[in-house]
Amino acid sequence: MSNALIMEQQFESDICDSLSSSGWYYSGSGAPDPEWDPALALHKADALWWLANRYPKEYEKAVNPSLTGTSKQQAEHRLLQALAKMLDTKAVIDPTTFKERNGLLGVLRAGFNFVAPSRPAAKFGPMVEFPPENPLLTASQQWFRDNRLRVLRQVRFDPTKTSTIDVVLTVNGIPVITMELKTDHTQKADDAVAQYRKDRMPTKSTPLLQPGRCLVHFVVSNQRALMTTALKGADTFFIPFDKGDNGHAGNPPSPTGSPTDYLWREVLTPRSLIRILSSFAVRESDGTLVFPRYHQWRAVENITTDVAQTSAGGRYLVWHSAGSGKTKTIAWLAHRLGRLHAYDGDKAFDSVIIVSDRRVLDDQLRRAVSLLGASKGYVVGITDKAGSKSSQLRDALTEGDHIITVTLQSFPEALKIINDSAELRSRRWCVIADEAHSSQSGDAASDLRKLLAAAPEVDPEDDQITSDDLLLAQDSAVATASNITFVALTATPKHRTLRLFGTKTDKGWEAFDTYTMAQAIEEGFILDVLKRYSTYDMFARVRDNVTDSENQIKVDGVKAVSQIVRFVRLHKVAIAQKVEIVIEHFRAQVAGSLDGRARAMVVTGSREEAVRWSLAMNKYLPDKGYHDMAALVAFSGEITVDGQSYTEPSMTGVAEKALPKHFRETDEARVLIVADKYQTGYDEPLLCAMYVDKDLSGIAAVQTLSRLNRTAPNKPLPIVLDFVNDPVKIQSAFATYYSEAYISQETDPNALYSLTDRLDLAGYYDSDELYAISEAYLTGEDGESLQPLLAPIVHRWNAALAGATEPAKRQEVLAFRTDAGRYRSAWDFLSQVVDYQDPTLHRRAILAGLLVRNLHTDSLIESIDTTSVELTGLAVVAKQIDTDRSISGPTSADLDAPAYDGDRTFGGSTPEQVALSEAIDKVNALFAASGLELGNGSGAAWTRAVWGVLTEDEDIKAMSAENSPEQLQSSPKFKDKVTGAVVSVAADSAAMTEAAMANPDLYEGLVELLAKVTAIVHGHAAA
């Protein structure tokens, strides 16, 4: 192999040849092009050709046709100088047309004006011809094909020097892309990054390198591609432009050449680049140009292409991690789909509706779409305040050809307007749903499909149209919905999300486009929140001050334990200790980050906890003399704690909507305490630490901790300090969404029929009641009219519950209500993917939903008096500090399908009835798990030390998951483990160890105690 084949020059030639084969102008030579002017940063011949041929009348005004020789050259040079000046001029938004003027995008999209000496004003139109949205407009197609896209090699960027950039791409003479190339045989991509930073400094003599003059600068090697839209010397920031490799960063091997050849074979083809210039490139409010990242471009292009081929009716799931830039992806999708025409020339959609559960995002989306050059009024938004917005929304829906943004709170208003018009219901719609959680894949999604689906067709000669006919037609429309296209975006898809919006593949149901959390972390777009994970244990001792044990009542042991645990967690001593840990940790480890601007969040389990945390923290801070910081609190509504009423504004002195900005910009506001607020959709890059005092699992764990993952310059790895959760379970939750997931098993559509038998055969209603209630509901009867129909069923069920004295019988009665709820959930989901052609199933779903709301189990909730419980000892102690819990290696999860017709249970098996004092003993065993000395009870301390050894043993955890306490107690292996634990603590308590080993009765009692505790903590009892 010759050196030429592996050197940079050959790599450069291969790229340019490939671009030439796709339609770029290319001389075929590596020599500098004489028509390139580094002082103007223009390809003179191409720019003049476009101006003269696309706008001949205006060109004659700028360059007098009678001029020849030097005079003509001077006139042309003045025109080119004017063009260069407008490219260098700061861009502005025209308030009348809503279009950008001046600057790169303004000149490309809107053109410029020029007045030559003693000549009339020339008004040149766009410097590039974009392809028409309607493919049948052939005249515009011709000028699109006449665009001169040129590849230049070894391009001088400073007229005073001979230094060159490897490749520059121009459009009608205007440079839009520069590229520095490095072959991996000799150098690395990082060398080209350093070259841009050190040797490609933007100065007055280098217009090509000035920020805003070129759309994007690429670094390309055989393996990697990186980009930046602004050169700033040493501060230039490059980001990856890689495809991703099996869910991770990088690029897979390519059968056609280098792993990066997608850049010139896919992204930079003439049609693709022109599309990027027309529909992707935007300028932020600060002047920064935006070029799409690869996954954003890929998702938008692939969805748009598929819709153009298949028309309306498709469903697309875009699974893009946090840090993927979903807001811009949604804006680009809406912009493209709103203007899209099918190949037959018909407009794909009458309107695009964007549904978001975040008000802040709703505002961001409108701004982002507007930046794409949309005409004024094209983007219409409605908030949760109807009022004057309602008429504006109605006009937008009726007029069509709009992008309409709504929040989940304002969504019902849009649906009502559509539902009131058969003409609107028959139109073609595209619905883009941000964060497609259950709120948009359950009732809301079903209602949307019902309202937007084309009106059911019925025989005009049939005057006996029944409600069953309408139900049948409506349910079929919901399941097929050929006039609605759904595009759902999420970072954490559930099983039902994948099934409702996913794409069928050989593996099952998958996302249409995926950008994983792993790739986002590895590429540096988000931070790994599991890298520095610390856990704390809380050890407590409580006692019952009631001394007359004979008079103690029997209580539900599980509920007693739960309430006593809650008592301990809310106790002022417990919160005070945790507040001290949080504040001292924050001041020592976090506060100095980001030049002293770092913030932290405390996640609590309830509004009461949030209030108590806030009161305790804002007392601790001044008591310690920490007057440089304060804590804010966020929760919804009003709550009374210890007789005092509290709201978020009353505690913070800040309006709810103003809190995020106040938290970000107020120097003293360093900690935000939250209760079910700001745990999803809240992006604050200043958050550097999170203190968790709430049970988290699954999606909730991922979404909550991901508030920390936003990047900021010089931001350290975020810290999580967890008082409650098992880090292994948190790690497992993240693993599900780390790389890729799919569903290989369908939810059984027969589940509805299984539940039908259970409900119908339970004997609480008959078919006549089923029909009467559903009919009344469908015809819009009010609540008072429905109650007499429901009352007999409710009465029968209540009577059966009251008469169920045996546990098994009570479970059977309660199971009816459980089945009703399951039936309703199953219908909401399955009716969207299965066309059952059975209106009775729908009627039963109506009845089931009403029954769930009217069959009450409040009387079964046992109120347990814990007023006699006293906290006698408590300590919060570090367990694992700064442990790396990040996910390693490739992962691919098969999400479990919901089983709607599974086992019929009501809160597990009948709870063991125990004395309150016995429940307290269980709590002591649960909390006292490490041998911590809490008083003079050395025996208890020694027992806890032994337990502390056992609880870390993975074999013990596995055994307890499969065995009862009695089975553990009789297991020789378990006894061996206990013996090992006893021996391991012998050095600390020799006397106690000797007594246990010498006394068989004492030893067996110890085994029995530890077996019970093990089962409670690690086994089925833990559930």
Side-chain angles (χ1 to χ4, degrees):
M1 179 182 292
S2 67
N3 287 336
L5 292 177
I6 63 173
M7 300 301 285
E8 182 180 309
Q9 184 176 1
Q10 184 62 45
F11 186 40
E12 184 178 305
S13 295
D14 291 342
I15 292 175
C16 294
D17 288 340
S18 179
L19 289 170
S20 176
S21 67
S22 69
W24 286 79
Y25 283 79
Y26 173 48
S27 66
S29 168
D33 190 314
E35 289 297 324
W36 172 258
D37 187 333
L40 297 177
L42 291 171
H43 188 277
K44 297 180 293 183
D46 283 354
L48 291 171
W49 182 91
W50 180 259
L51 293 170
N53 288 274
R54 184 67 180 90
Y55 310 107
K57 293 181 179 180
E58 303 305 314
Y59 187 79
E60 288 182 3
K61 297 175 185 177
V63 180
N64 193 325
S66 64
L67 296 177
T68 59
T70 303
S71 298
K72 181 180 180 180
Q73 292 176 359
Q74 290 175 343
E76 290 174 337
H77 187 71
R78 284 194 294 269
L79 176 58
L80 291 173
Q81 283 182 314
L83 171 59
K85 182 178 180 181
M86 296 310 296
L87 289 167
D88 293 332
T89 302
K90 183 179 179 180
V92 295
I93 301 297
D94 188 326
T96 58
T97 63
F98 226 49
K99 303 291 185 181
E100 183 172 318
R101 302 285 298 180
N102 309 330
L104 176 66
L105 300 182
V107 170
L108 285 172
R109 293 172 178 169
F112 67 102
N113 300 332
F114 171 68
V115 181
S118 303
R119 300 292 296 170
K123 297 183 178 181
F124 293 101
M127 284 297 295
V128 60
E129 189 71 29
F130 297 126
E133 298 293 348
N134 189 334
L136 302 184
L137 298 178
T138 55
S140 296
Q141 288 279 9
Q142 183 58 51
W143 277 112
F144 161 65
R145 288 191 289 268
D146 286 342
N147 283 312
R148 288 200 168 187
L149 280 69
R150 185 176 298 277
V151 182
L152 302 176
R153 294 179 63 180
Q154 299 305 313
V155 180
R156 290 175 60 205
F157 54 88
D158 187 338
T160 66
K161 298 179 181 179
T162 58
S163 301
T164 60
I165 286 178
D166 290 337
V167 175
V168 173
L169 306 182
T170 65
V171 175
N172 296 322
I174 298 175
V176 292
I177 294 175
T178 75
M179 302 170 70
E180 286 290 357
L181 312 177
K182 300 296 175 187
T183 175
D184 292 321
H185 295 290
T186 57
Q187 288 182 294
K188 299 178 298 183
D190 291 341
D191 295 319
V193 170
Q195 195 171 16
Y196 265 120
R197 287 174 174 167
K198 297 177 181 178
D199 303 328
R200 306 289 183 261
M201 295 287 291
T203 65
K204 290 182 178 180
S205 63
T206 57
L208 178 65
L209 307 181
Q210 288 293 330
R213 192 62 150 76
C214 240
L215 177 58
V216 64
H217 306 273
F218 277 110
V219 160
V220 186
S221 73
N222 303 99
Q223 302 292 331
R224 299 177 61 198
L226 301 98
M227 70 173 184
T228 185
T229 59
L231 297 177
K232 302 177 182 178
D235 295 329
T236 302
F237 184 66
F238 280 87
I239 61 175
F241 192 79
D242 292 332
K243 294 179 69 172
D245 186 5
N246 193 28
H248 291 263
N251 293 299
S254 169
T256 54
S258 295
T260 51
D261 69 355
Y262 61 89
L263 178 61
W264 52 92
R265 293 182 184 273
E266 299 176 22
V267 181
L268 299 182
T269 62
R271 178 170 288 275
S272 175
L273 178 62
I274 295 299
R275 177 65 71 187
I276 288 172
L277 291 175
S278 68
S279 303
F280 287 91
V282 295
R283 189 185 302 274
E284 300 276 29
S285 56
D286 63 358
T288 303
L289 289 172
V290 175
F291 191 90
R293 288 155 61 185
Y294 180 80
H295 65 272
Q296 294 173 316
W297 171 84
R298 177 187 62 204
V300 174
E301 286 299 302
N302 288 346
I303 289 174
T304 305
T305 299
D306 195 72
V307 170
Q309 293 173 343
T310 61
S311 190
R315 306 183 196 181
Y316 306 90
L317 178 62
V318 179
W319 178 3
H320 283 187
S321 164
S324 66
K326 283 201 296 293
T327 299
K328 286 190 174 63
T329 302
I330 292 172
W332 284 321
L333 271 169
H335 185 261
R336 288 292 306 279
L337 294 174
R339 287 170 161 77
L340 182 66
H341 285 67
Y343 293 151
D344 60 5
D346 289 340
K347 200 166 186 296
F349 304 108
D350 292 285
S351 287
V352 175
I353 300 176
I354 302 175
V355 186
S356 169
D357 61 355
R358 292 177 279 173
R359 293 183 180 88
V360 173
L361 182 59
D362 187 46
D363 295 334
Q364 292 174 343
L365 285 170
R366 286 200 292 273
R367 288 196 299 269
V369 176
S370 297
L371 286 172
L372 290 167
S375 58
K376 197 169 186 178
Y378 178 59
V379 183
V380 179
I382 181 172
T383 66
D384 49 342
K385 297 179 180 178
S388 61
K389 292 284 186 181
S390 181
S391 60
Q392 184 184 10
L393 178 65
R394 181 178 290 104
D395 292 342
L397 290 168
T398 304
E399 291 169 5
D401 197 27
H402 284 287
I403 295 173
I404 302 160
T405 66
V406 297
T407 63
L408 283 179
Q409 293 76 19
S410 62
F411 190 40
E413 178 69 19
L415 296 184
K416 182 178 183 300
I417 294 172
I418 295 170
N419 191 40
D420 290 342
S421 168
E423 194 274 331
L424 288 181
R425 290 198 303 272
S426 67
R427 291 184 180 181
R428 287 176 294 189
W429 304 87
C430 176
V431 179
I432 302 176
D434 170 53
E435 285 305 330
H437 303 314
S438 56
S439 60
Q440 293 174 20
S441 56
D443 288 338
S446 181
D447 290 345
L448 173 66
R449 296 174 72 82
K450 290 173 185 175
L451 291 175
L452 297 188
E457 295 183 4
V458 296
D459 187 347
E461 298 182 359
D462 187 353
D463 58 357
Q464 298 297 320
I465 303 298
T466 67
S467 56
D468 276 356
D469 294 327
L470 293 176
L471 276 179
L472 188 62
Q474 186 183 67
D475 292 342
S476 295
V478 169
T480 56
S482 60
N483 68 321
I484 314 170
T485 291
F486 277 99
V487 183
L489 293 93
T490 183
T492 49
K494 295 180 180 179
H495 176 281
R496 64 187 294 154
T497 312
L498 275 167
R499 180 58 187 86
L500 283 175
F501 302 115
T503 301
K504 191 75 167 74
T505 67
D506 293 339
K507 293 173 66 176
W509 294 90
E510 297 183 276
F512 186 82
D513 193 89
T514 302
Y515 177 76
T516 66
M517 183 190 302
Q519 186 175 350
I521 290 173
E522 292 164 9
E523 291 184 343
F525 289 108
I526 58 174
L527 301 173
D528 191 339
V529 301
L530 301 183
K531 276 286 188 182
R532 302 178 65 186
Y533 204 101
S534 300
T535 55
Y536 275 64
D537 279 343
M538 182 166 67
F539 308 102
R541 174 163 290 279
V542 294
R543 74 181 178 198
D544 182 8
N545 286 328
V546 176
T547 56
D548 186 2
S549 60
E550 293 183 0
N551 293 331
Q552 289 189 50
I553 61 171
K554 289 286 182 175
V555 299
D556 183 329
V558 174
K559 291 174 183 174
V561 170
S562 176
Q563 290 200 22
I564 297 170
V565 169
R566 183 173 182 274
F567 162 78
V568 171
R569 288 183 59 180
L570 287 175
H571 198 282
K572 62 181 181 180
V573 175
I575 291 178
Q577 286 197 26
K578 286 183 280 191
V579 164
E580 180 179 4
I581 290 170
V582 168
I583 294 301
E584 298 305 330
H585 178 273
F586 177 81
R587 295 183 70 86
Q589 303 292 332
V590 182
S593 300
L594 300 178
D595 296 324
R597 300 174 63 230
R599 301 293 193 268
M601 178 181 284
V602 177
V603 180
T604 67
S606 68
R607 294 186 301 165
E608 181 181 350
E609 288 182 49
V611 169
R612 293 188 184 279
W613 266 87
S614 178
L615 295 173
M617 190 171 288
N618 284 309
K619 179 180 183 302
Y620 180 84
L621 289 169
D623 287 351
K624 293 288 289 186
Y626 299 153
H627 301 294
D628 56 344
M629 64 181 292
L632 301 174
V633 65
F635 59 90
S636 299
E638 182 176 346
I639 185 172
T640 300
V641 177
D642 297 336
Q644 176 74 36
S645 178
Y646 296 95
T647 64
E648 177 186 310
S650 71
M651 298 192 75
T652 62
V654 180
E656 286 191 50
K657 289 186 177 180
L659 186 66
K661 182 178 181 181
H662 180 81
F663 181 51
R664 179 175 61 253
E665 298 180 356
T666 304
D667 292 340
E668 293 77 18
R670 306 298 295 277
V671 179
L672 178 62
I673 303 165
V674 301
D676 292 324
K677 216 172 177 186
Y678 295 106
Q679 289 172 238
T680 62
Y682 174 59
D683 298 337
E684 179 47 74
L686 297 181
L687 278 179
C688 293
M690 181 176 288
Y691 303 92
V692 182
D693 197 26
K694 175 184 180 178
D695 289 314
L696 295 173
S697 62
I699 286 179
V702 177
Q703 291 174 334
T704 299
L705 297 184
S706 292
R707 297 312 98 208
L708 285 173
N709 65 20
R710 298 310 192 261
T711 60
N714 301 315
K715 180 176 177 177
L717 281 172
I719 296 173
V720 177
L721 196 156
D722 198 327
F723 293 107
V724 176
N725 298 286
D726 179 354
V728 175
K729 292 182 179 179
I730 298 294
Q731 188 181 43
S732 176
F734 271 81
T736 302
Y737 303 103
Y738 186 70
S739 185
E740 294 179 304
Y742 58 93
I743 54 173
S744 61
Q745 296 180 342
E746 291 276 11
T747 299
D748 185 4
N750 292 302
L752 276 176
Y753 290 109
S754 298
L755 289 167
T756 289
D757 291 341
R758 294 182 186 178
L759 292 173
D760 291 355
L761 298 178
Y764 296 109
Y765 62 85
D766 58 31
S767 58
D768 291 339
E769 289 172 314
L770 166 63
Y771 186 88
I773 292 172
S774 59
E775 189 69 12
Y777 183 88
L778 289 168
T779 54
E781 297 287 348
D782 58 27
E784 283 301 302
S785 299
L786 281 171
Q787 280 305 317
L789 300 174
L790 280 170
I793 304 175
V794 174
H795 179 75
R796 291 173 202 136
W797 187 82
N798 285 335
L801 184 61
T805 56
E806 295 297 323
K809 184 61 177 176
R810 172 168 287 201
Q811 293 287 59
E812 183 179 342
V813 176
L814 292 171
F816 175 78
R817 185 181 187 276
T818 301
D819 286 340
R822 286 179 172 179
Y823 187 98
R824 178 66 200 187
S825 296
W827 171 258
D828 287 340
F829 170 55
L830 290 171
S831 64
Q832 297 183 64
V833 295
V834 179
D835 185 2
Y836 282 100
Q837 294 285 316
D838 185 350
T840 304
L841 290 176
H842 193 160
R843 291 185 178 278
R844 190 176 292 102
I846 294 171
L847 174 61
L850 293 170
L851 288 177
V852 168
R853 295 184 179 92
N854 285 272
L855 301 181
H856 301 298
T857 57
D858 296 346
S859 60
L860 300 179
I861 300 176
E862 185 177 5
S863 178
I864 299 173
D865 183 11
T866 58
T867 57
S868 62
V869 175
E870 178 185 1
L871 182 68
T872 60
L874 184 140
V876 181
V877 179
K879 184 177 182 180
Q880 295 176 322
I881 300 298
D882 266 7
T883 303
D884 186 350
R885 294 282 178 180
S886 57
I887 312 296
S888 59
T891 62
S892 184
D894 186 355
L895 303 185
D896 293 332
Y900 294 104
D901 57 346
D903 294 337
R904 306 168 74 192
T905 59
F906 183 78
S909 58
T910 303
E912 175 192 1
Q913 297 296 304
V914 297
L916 180 56
S917 59
E918 294 174 27
I920 291 172
D921 288 341
K922 283 189 178 181
V923 174
N924 283 327
L926 286 169
F927 278 123
S930 121
L932 183 69
E933 180 59 63
L934 299 177
N936 295 325
S938 58
W942 177 81
T943 304
R944 287 192 297 274
V946 175
W947 164 242
V949 175
L950 284 179
T951 193
E952 297 298 324
D953 192 303
E954 295 299 327
D955 290 339
I956 290 292
K957 294 179 182 178
M959 291 170 64
S960 62
E962 302 295 335
N963 296 279
S964 67
E966 293 75 17
Q967 290 171 321
L968 286 174
Q969 184 179 345
S970 61
S971 167
K973 184 175 181 179
F974 183 79
K975 290 183 178 180
D976 290 343
K977 292 288 186 180
V978 172
T979 301
V982 169
V983 172
S984 70
V985 301
D988 296 326
S989 303
M992 300 295 297
T993 301
E994 291 174 4
M997 299 303 291
N999 186 332
D1001 292 337
L1002 176 60
Y1003 181 81
E1004 288 300 324
L1006 175 65
V1007 171
E1008 179 182 1
L1009 167 66
L1010 292 175
K1012 290 181 179 179
V1013 175
T1014 300
I1016 290 173
V1017 174
H1018 295 304
H1020 296 299

